[in-house]
Amino acid sequence: ILLFAFAIAIYSYFWIPAIGILIYCLKSKKFEQYKKRNTIICSIVIATSLAIFVWLNIPEQLDSIQAEWETTEFVVGDTIEIPIDVNPSDAEIKELEISKNNVATCKYIDGKATVTFKEPGEYNLFFIANETIKSDSQNIKIITQEEKAEQERIAAEKAEQERLAAEKAEQERLAAE
């Protein structure tokens, strides 16, 4: 079975030298009496090996895609790269777009979607490959710079309160000893 598979793989490239041999047979006076037979043989070799070559090298049809979102909250203007897994792995993505184009822009390069967010809000987004294959959807939240600054301020205040509470607890523990 392995030898047969190897022979087919090798045979799929026979069309390349067969073209040269066909030209030689047609131009050569040496094989004039076998010209018709050699032309037929070379033509058959070219046709069958080229057909096998094309058959072996056809890319797989895309069945599904999976987007790997690392986080679900973004700021307007953020640009992130989202890895896209394709099934089967050797299938080709000709075109990738994001479900709601007014929310973000999307470019696909080397297995990654580069997404830049434009509009604040909460959205359920997914990717569409080759106009028909959809990824799983992901709920995301896009906030403004002001909202992010407010979240950071609140988180800093909370951390400071926790630090002060921990300090106070430590002082009370030391005083009790």
Side-chain angles (χ1 to χ4, degrees):
I1 294 174
L2 289 175
L3 287 175
F4 182 71
F6 182 70
I8 287 181
I10 295 296
Y11 183 72
S12 70
Y13 289 96
F14 273 26
W15 62 273
I16 298 168
I19 291 172
I21 294 169
L22 177 63
I23 292 169
Y24 176 76
C25 288
L26 291 174
K27 299 250 182 205
S28 174
K29 303 286 186 218
K30 185 177 178 182
F31 299 106
E32 189 70 35
Q33 63 189 15
Y34 303 112
K35 184 185 257 184
K36 186 176 181 180
R37 180 194 71 173
N38 291 344
T39 302
I40 291 171
I41 291 170
C42 285
S43 297
I44 290 171
V45 169
I46 289 170
T48 57
S49 66
L50 189 57
I52 291 172
F53 177 82
V54 169
W55 176 66
L56 290 176
N57 292 301
I58 291 176
E60 293 283 336
Q61 288 285 17
L62 184 64
D63 290 337
S64 66
I65 60 172
Q66 181 69 34
E68 297 177 19
W69 296 83
E70 292 178 8
T71 184
T72 58
E73 186 170 292
F74 306 97
V75 177
V76 172
D78 278 355
T79 298
I80 62 164
E81 285 187 344
I82 301 168
I84 304 291
D85 291 329
V86 298
N87 185 25
S89 61
D90 61 343
E92 182 180 323
I93 292 181
K94 298 175 188 123
E95 174 186 352
L96 184 75
E97 59 187 69
I98 199 157
S99 59
K100 295 182 180 173
N101 289 330
N102 60 337
V103 172
T105 59
C106 176
K107 293 180 185 168
Y108 180 75
I109 300 171
D110 296 329
K112 293 183 181 180
T114 303
V115 178
T116 303
F117 297 100
K118 301 187 300 186
E119 295 291 324
E122 293 188 29
Y123 304 98
N124 188 335
L125 298 181
F126 55 90
F127 291 98
I128 306 166
N130 301 348
E131 297 180 2
T132 57
I133 308 297
K134 294 180 181 178
S135 71
D136 294 340
S137 61
Q138 178 68 45
N139 290 320
I140 66 156
K141 183 177 182 180
I142 305 170
I143 60 174
T144 63
Q145 290 288 350
E146 293 80 19
E147 289 173 318
K148 180 172 174 118
E150 180 64 18
Q151 286 178 354
E152 289 172 351
R153 185 190 64 75
I154 291 170
E157 284 178 3
K158 184 177 179 183
E160 180 63 21
Q161 289 172 354
E162 289 173 358
R163 186 188 66 77
L164 290 173
E167 237 177 58
K168 183 178 180 183
E170 180 65 22
Q171 287 175 353
E172 289 173 358
R173 186 187 64 81
L174 289 175
E177 289 178 355

